[in-house]
Every structure is written in C-alpha cells, then in structure tokens.
Amino acid sequence: MSDETRSDTYAELAALGPYGVHPGHALITMVEPHPGHEYAYNRWYEDDHYYAGAMAMPWMFAGRRWVATRELQELRYPEKSAVAQPVGAGCYLSTYWVTDGRYDDHMKWTVGINKRLNRDGRVYQDRTHVFTAFQDHEATVYRDGAAGPRDHHALDHPYRGLVLQVIDAEGAGQRSELLEWLRSRHLPKRLGGSPAAMVTVFRPTPLPGDRMTYVKQVEGVDTRLTLLWFLQEDPRECWAEHFTGLDAAVAESGLGRVELVAPFVPTVPGTDRYVNQLR
C-alpha cells in the first residue's frame, strides 16, 4: 500500500514550506441547491463533500457551513446584486481557511481530488454555484483589540451568525484605497458596540484553468473585496440596528459599491435543521 500511495513522500513534504496557523487564504462558496434537492444536497455535502472535498485536504485547516433560511434571505440587499441573481439565491455558504503560503500546494490537491470525486460519481450535480472563489487574506479588524478569539479561531468558535458582504471598488486602482478606508476608518467605527467580534477581509483570486466546469471563473479579481462579519448574536436580532445601510456608507466614501450583504446562521452538523425553512 505504501508504494501505491507514495507514503514515504509525506515525511519529506512535512519538513518543507510554511506551516503557520494564519489563514492566509480562504475558500468562500455560496451555493443554491435546485428546487426539490435541498435535503439530498445537504446530506451529500455534510456526509461526504465537506470532508472528502475539503477538510481532508492538505493545508485546509478549518471550515464551517452556514445557512440562510427564507427569513434571512429576505434581509439581503441590494435588490439588484452583481453577485446573486435574484439576491436571495445561494442559501448555503461554506467557509474554509487555508494556511498562509500554501495556496498553490492546496490548489494542486483540490483540483486533483475534485476530478477524482467527479469521476467516481461523488459530486452532487443538482446545485448552482452562486459565488465561489478562493481568496487571499487582506486584513482582520477586531472589535475588542487583543481580547477574544483571533481570526484563525473564527471557524471553530461558536459564533451565532455571519454576514457576507461583497464590495466592488470603482476601479482596480481604487481597491487598495477602499481596503485602507475599511481597515482604518469604516470597520473600527461599525464594530464598536456591535455584536460582531471581528471582520475578515479577503480579495478573490482567479480559479485555475483546469477547474471543474460547473464552477464559473471568478469575477472582480482586480476590484472586489469580500468581508466576513462574525456575530455573537443571531443576525435577525441585530439586523436593523447594525447591518442596514452598509451600502450607503460605502457609496458615501466614493470608493466603491456594495453588491451583497447577506446574513447566515451556522448549520448544525449531522442534521437537516433549517432545510425545511429555505423556501
């Protein structure tokens, strides 16, 4: 068996390259199961794909699934979104951290394993990728400074909700200015006194040319920023006070436009909780 799986190379590879705990990269994937396939999709993802297609891979060290019930979908804005058409599309969100400096190594494995899973009939076809991208970490802004969990804890800490925010800069040359405004001015102000303990900011990277054909190439590689707000409260309890108007605040800066603000709650692994509340 060791000859067939080249086990000896594992010891060699473990001695090479970065192996820190910083989430230098992320996979953020928002998916819509086709009508009538909600239960089957959820069981496939939780029972097989979350592990075989993600967590069992090298350098993907943390993951969490989130879900948007119909009630949560109806809170999303703007109505005309460049990310989700209609804006409520994409009721499941999966987030994963990849070790800093290991993006290329992970991508070689993930392309290979997904080709194998597809060949072996272990890929559920009755779903649509609404927003799927590997992303590079740009910043994390904390509400409480050095107190509390760090960003590498975020997918394991029992946060009660998450808000996905996607912002497009006015142009490629303005994204760095938008990032600096978010990091130094906007996010610290918004986080103060809010139920969000931190916001992580990522920028998307293009998918490899040999990606699976059912995943479309990433848009906005030069202009887009993806924000994940980690909440200590259910988003429904704090939405009106803390998460309306994010689009207006960005527009007023003159640096970009908000294309999606979408709340989620964590799934309960191993269960079909919330599946009957998606439609």
Side-chain angles (χ1 to χ4, degrees), residues 92-135:
Y92 281 104
L93 178 72
S94 296
T95 51
Y96 303 95
W97 292 164
V98 177
T99 300
D100 193 19
R102 290 294 191 169
Y103 177 79
D104 291 340
D105 295 334
H106 177 76
M107 288 305 297
K108 285 183 173 64
W109 191 285
T110 194
V111 169
I113 201 68
N114 276 288
K115 285 182 176 179
R116 183 181 181 186
L117 290 167
N118 202 55
R119 185 176 64 244
D120 292 346
R122 286 173 64 182
V123 174
Y124 198 87
Q125 301 294 349
D126 289 296
R127 90 268 196 229
T128 299
H129 282 264
V130 177
F131 177 69
T132 293
F134 280 88
Q135 314 225 9

Side-chain angles (χ1 to χ4, degrees), residues 224-259:
R224 183 161 287 175
L225 291 173
T226 305
L227 285 65
L228 301 176
W229 300 68
F230 290 92
L231 311 186
Q232 294 172 316
E233 294 179 15
D234 186 308
R236 288 164 289 200
E237 299 171 2
C238 57
W239 192 255
E241 182 178 357
H242 293 285
F243 289 100
T244 56
L246 291 178
D247 52 346
V250 172
E252 288 171 9
S253 76
L255 299 172
R257 62 192 180 278
V258 168
E259 293 292 357

